[in-house]
Amino acid sequence: MSDSSRHTAEGAGWGTGERGAYRQLMPQQVEKISWLDPRMWWAARNGVLASWFGDPTGRTRGRWVTQRAAAGAPADKVIRRDDPERFSFLVIGDTGEGDDPQYAVVPGFLKVGLDTRFAVLASDVIYPVGSADDYHTKFFRPYRDYQAPIYAIPGNHDWYEDLGGFMRVFCDDAPPLPPEPRPRPLTRAWLRSLLWHRPRRDHGQHLAEARRLRSAPAQQAVQPGPYWAIDAGPVRIIGIDTGLLGTLDAEQGAWLREVSHGPRPKILVTGSPLYVDGRHEPCAIEGGGTVDDIVRDPAHHYVAAIGGDIHNYQRYPVRLDDGRTLQYVVAGGGGAFMHATHTIPRVNVANVTERDFRCYPLRGDSLAFYSRLYGRRLRMPRFFTLTEAEATAVIAERLGIPPTRVPGADTRVTRRVRLVAGLLGTGRRPDRAKRFRLPVRKIYTSLFSPSSATYSPPFFKCFLRLDVSPESVRLRCYAATGNRAQELAPPVEDEVTIPLR
């Protein structure tokens, strides 16, 4: 195992390390997604339309669930496996951009996952709109050598074509839903239907060919729908579908309460993390209550909640009033552009402080990454670019925390370094956040961050391995930088052992 980013700059992927061999896995021609391209925003417009004119996700999901039940899917949506009491599985989130950062994760994923029983893909299997035509290069090709089943929950991007591609791939080639009656003219639903993005009529023609890449019997997985539970060894893993807007419909909420009963230890996998960026996001359920209410209920015996959607790694060990500690994890670093961590302010939420909080990439590496990116983009590299040591030092200064990786003795935090850190939205201590908040920070985090695609290491991608026994779950976050050193020996960026008894 090589050094992690917490130990050395080389462990983070900085320097002149040899590029990994991941490019040998990629197709010759790769679609490069830019979220500054207006065509991408237009194709992915359904989320905005749902927030303006009403969200049809719950109704559509209900139709998919009804169709799967008629086809013989189990009514309780539980996948019952024959795993032993001691086994391991992988979790990887937000994978499907199909470019260098996604494929850079694959060598480490295969190496660490060699003896795992299955994998779970947590949110956004396919970008930009979940099209069936994209599964060849963004799912089947990258994971063709993973010799175990892969289960998945959809993210908002998988819903931009009404989940059709996802259901065909993961749910026994589910046929398209029959068209619904046209809504009444001049209603909100009518306006939404006029603008709604739909798949092409000929989409998915090459799916049969793509499936051959993962056609071995050991690789097959059929799930009962877009949300499900897996009974594996001593634990139950529950995957929920948070749709376009990050909420649950009433039917799925009732199911979640039902499958959460009982003493079996449970792990939630969700497309909308419940703690993220120093905030609590409990995830509303239609009709009342939240997902986190269910997770915290001591009668349900949850030990962890893992969410995708945000493209980095974060962990919040929340100690509840009854003395239990729940591990809330963000694990969306599987391949899509990197969401910044340097914009996360000093953490103080639910009694979780900086001493307990973990993230990857480290905030200093995130700031150095973005400073280089925007130095190139704005053609001002001499002004914008910060060394990883300068970025680490200014993060420690602004947040009032010790540096995670100690910078060199000659590192100075100059006026330029402070200005660049502020322009790039670097977080602060809560007592200073209001006083020094800049309008540019909101613009940066909402607009500029999604344009961070880069095609040379370090990529700061990650995935999880969970080792389950009757006594505990050992959760480890492995890094993938795109460099050869981290391919050969994927470093562990974070680790925690969760007791089950």
Side-chain angles (χ1 to χ4, degrees):
M1 187 183 300
S2 59
D3 285 341
S4 76
S5 70
R6 293 181 171 271
H7 298 111
T8 65
E10 291 76 17
W14 298 117
T16 56
E18 177 188 0
R19 180 178 284 206
Y22 66 88
R23 276 188 160 268
Q24 299 173 13
L25 307 173
M26 298 174 62
Q28 290 185 342
Q29 292 186 335
V30 176
E31 175 195 19
K32 296 185 187 300
I33 293 176
S34 171
W35 291 104
L36 290 184
D37 186 339
R39 292 172 298 178
M40 291 296 175
W41 289 97
W42 177 243
R45 63 190 179 270
N46 286 1
V48 175
L49 295 176
S51 65
W52 288 353
F53 301 117
D55 184 6
T57 302
R59 186 180 68 253
T60 305
R61 184 189 295 116
R63 297 176 68 211
W64 281 121
V65 169
T66 299
Q67 183 200 79
R68 292 292 294 136
D76 59 4
K77 303 171 186 62
V78 177
I79 303 164
R80 292 172 174 87
R81 294 178 49 86
D82 61 353
D83 301 299
E85 286 194 330
R86 298 178 186 274
F87 75 98
S88 303
F89 69 100
L90 300 174
V91 176
I92 184 168
D94 297 85
T95 53
E97 285 198 358
D99 51 18
D100 292 59
Q102 178 178 8
Y103 279 86
V105 183
V106 174
F109 180 85
L110 296 176
K111 189 179 186 72
V112 172
L114 188 62
D115 62 340
T116 54
R117 302 277 295 192
F118 59 89
V120 175
L121 215 165
S123 178
D124 289 341
V125 182
I126 300 295
Y127 294 93
V129 293
S131 172
D133 294 322
D134 289 333
Y135 271 87
H136 183 281
T137 57
K138 300 178 182 182
F139 175 73
F140 289 106
R141 185 183 181 111
Y143 309 120
R144 61 185 173 181
D145 292 327
Y146 180 65
Q147 297 300 315
I150 298 177
Y151 304 97
I153 57 168
N156 57 311
H157 286 267
D158 301 303
W159 269 100
Y160 289 155
E161 289 193 352
D162 290 335
L163 213 61
F166 181 97
M167 295 297 293
R168 289 185 65 178
V169 170
F170 294 103
C171 298
D172 202 22
D173 206 15
L177 293 174
E180 289 191 289
R182 290 180 176 272
R184 286 182 301 159
L186 304 180
T187 62
R188 295 173 70 201
W190 178 76
L191 289 171
R192 183 183 65 219
S193 69
L194 290 179
L195 299 171
W196 199 251
H197 171 83
R198 293 177 177 85
R200 298 192 309 268
R201 290 186 178 183
D202 62 346
H203 77 121
Q205 288 186 343
H206 303 293
L207 260 184
E209 177 185 348
R211 288 183 195 276
R212 295 194 192 106
L213 296 174
R214 282 186 51 84
S215 59
Q219 295 175 309
Q220 302 313 301
V222 176
Q223 56 191 62
Y227 57 93
W228 41 257
I230 298 174
D231 282 349
V235 299
R236 172 170 282 187
I237 304 156
I238 298 174
I240 59 173
D241 169 18
T242 55
L244 283 170
L245 301 182
T247 60
L248 262 63
D249 60 282
E251 180 182 356
Q252 186 180 183
W255 169 87
L256 177 60
R257 292 184 178 94
E258 182 64 29
V259 295
S260 296
H261 285 305
R264 192 171 193 151
K266 298 172 186 71
I267 299 169
L268 182 76
V269 181
T270 169
S272 298
L274 304 180
Y275 280 87
V276 60
D277 294 346
R279 305 186 309 273
H280 183 210
E281 304 282 353
C283 188
I285 299 174
E286 181 186 15
T290 69
V291 169
D292 202 29
D293 291 338
I294 297 172
V295 169
R296 287 169 176 257
D297 189 331
H300 296 156
H301 297 90
Y302 279 90
V303 297
I306 303 170
D309 188 54
I310 303 302
H311 307 164
N312 53 44
Y313 173 82
Q314 301 173 43
R315 180 169 65 85
Y316 301 82
V318 176
R319 189 168 180 83
L320 304 182
D321 292 340
D322 59 11
R324 293 177 300 133
T325 297
L326 272 170
Q327 299 292 339
Y328 291 88
V329 175
V330 178
F337 67 85
M338 186 191 87
H339 276 131
T341 59
H342 66 266
T343 58
I344 303 173
R346 179 169 170 168
V347 171
N348 185 10
V349 59
N351 295 320
V352 177
T353 65
E354 282 292 328
R355 184 182 65 180
D356 312 304
F357 172 69
R358 295 290 183 272
C359 69
Y360 177 78
L362 300 178
R363 290 182 177 100
D365 289 329
S366 171
L367 178 58
F369 174 97
Y370 272 93
S371 74
R372 295 182 181 205
L373 180 72
Y374 284 99
R376 293 193 302 269
R377 181 160 290 152
L378 300 175
R379 299 182 181 179
M380 300 173 65
R382 294 186 62 183
F383 172 74
F384 264 98
T385 301
L386 305 181
T387 67
E388 54 83 19
E390 289 172 328
T392 297
V394 75
I395 289 287
E397 178 184 90
R398 286 175 69 96
L399 268 65
I401 58 176
T404 307
R405 188 174 66 238
V406 179
D410 59 346
T411 302
R412 294 176 55 241
V413 181
T414 64
R415 186 175 299 176
R416 178 188 71 89
V417 171
R418 293 188 181 100
L419 177 58
V420 170
L423 290 173
L424 294 182
T426 305
R428 280 191 173 271
R429 301 202 305 264
D431 58 333
R432 296 187 178 184
K434 291 183 179 180
R435 180 181 174 188
F436 290 99
R437 183 180 292 133
L438 296 174
V440 72
R441 180 179 175 191
K442 184 175 182 181
I443 296 171
Y444 171 83
T445 55
S446 63
L447 176 59
F448 291 165
S449 181
S451 65
S452 66
T454 182
Y455 301 104
S456 59
F459 295 124
F460 299 109
K461 302 289 95 185
C462 60
F463 60 93
L464 307 184
R465 175 181 168 123
L466 290 86
D467 302 307
V468 179
S469 74
E471 298 79 31
S472 65
V473 174
R474 182 190 187 193
L475 183 152
R476 284 176 286 179
C477 171
Y478 285 88
T481 67
N483 287 331
R484 186 65 172 158
Q486 286 80 39
E487 277 188 357
L488 295 174
V492 175
E493 288 293 333
D494 186 34
E495 179 175 347
V496 63
T497 298
I498 307 168
L500 297 185
R501 294 179 177 174

